[in-house]
Amino acid sequence: MNRAMVAAIVLSVAGMSSQAQAAKFDPSESLANFQPELSEEFKQLLREGDVEAGADFFERKCANCHDVAKDGIHNKGPLLWNLFGRKAGSIKEFEYSEAMINSGHSWDYATINYYLTRTDRAVPGRIMNFRGIRKDKQRADLLLYLRQFNDNPPELP
């Protein structure tokens, strides 16, 4: 295979990769432009959720970067006390990405669920290096666990 042919293949693959990357960050899927809703099935998972399973998941996947205690501290990720109802990127003591600060959304069951499903889609350009939680039950259990770390925990939908 000659050099010209190899170069053409490399450029072609790079072009496809750029197109896939652009499609991956569709602005219409960003929380800056989209208000997600919870399905009835997901609402049922929340009502039947397992707080202990959510706690276990948090300890395994989230606690290295996030704290939930009322008197907790920021770590690699922001403190999650009073997450529900808080505007994204709004804690002054934490250095958020510009993408999170400019996303304009507030955290509720639907936005947290959407974010945790595909963080790259929900807030393109975010700093958080996490690909998401694919299983609905795991996200529901985690949300159920996180809701208790609020001054006024939100009602279940």
Side-chain angles (χ1 to χ4, degrees):
M1 190 176 288
N2 67 31
R3 285 187 179 161
M5 209 180 241
V6 170
I9 292 170
V10 169
L11 288 174
S12 174
V13 170
M16 288 187 298
S17 176
S18 296
Q19 290 170 347
Q21 194 75 346
K24 185 176 179 180
F25 298 112
D26 181 350
S28 69
E29 294 182 332
S30 166
L31 285 171
N33 303 313
F34 174 66
Q35 178 58 50
E37 294 185 20
L38 295 176
S39 69
E40 289 305 316
E41 294 82 15
F42 194 83
K43 290 177 186 178
Q44 188 66 30
L45 286 173
L46 282 170
R47 288 189 289 271
E48 297 171 353
D50 182 345
V51 174
E52 287 302 315
D56 290 344
F57 187 89
F58 184 86
E59 286 302 314
R60 283 191 330 274
K61 300 288 187 175
C62 312
N64 286 336
C65 297
H66 293 282
D67 190 352
V68 292
K70 187 171 189 168
D71 61 351
I73 59 169
H74 300 299
N75 197 335
K76 185 176 181 181
L79 177 65
L80 297 181
W81 181 265
N82 278 333
L83 173 63
F84 284 85
R86 182 167 77 206
K87 184 175 178 184
S90 65
I91 297 177
K92 300 292 184 220
E93 301 83 31
F94 187 79
E95 189 174 329
Y96 292 94
S97 66
E98 288 297 314
M100 187 63 75
I101 293 168
N102 295 326
S103 66
H105 70 279
S106 292
W107 295 115
D108 59 23
Y109 289 107
T111 56
I112 297 169
N113 180 53
Y114 186 72
Y115 182 73
L116 291 176
T117 302
R118 287 271 311 269
T119 60
D120 59 344
R121 172 185 64 193
V123 182
R126 86 255 173 257
I127 294 172
M128 183 175 167
N129 186 18
F130 185 69
R131 299 192 52 72
I133 304 167
R134 297 283 185 242
K135 295 182 180 177
D136 289 346
K137 174 138 177 45
Q138 287 178 329
R139 286 193 318 280
D141 292 344
L142 180 59
L143 286 171
L144 201 57
Y145 172 72
L146 290 174
R147 78 182 277 268
Q148 53 188 345
F149 300 104
N150 267 62
D151 289 325
N152 297 302
E155 294 291 323
L156 289 174

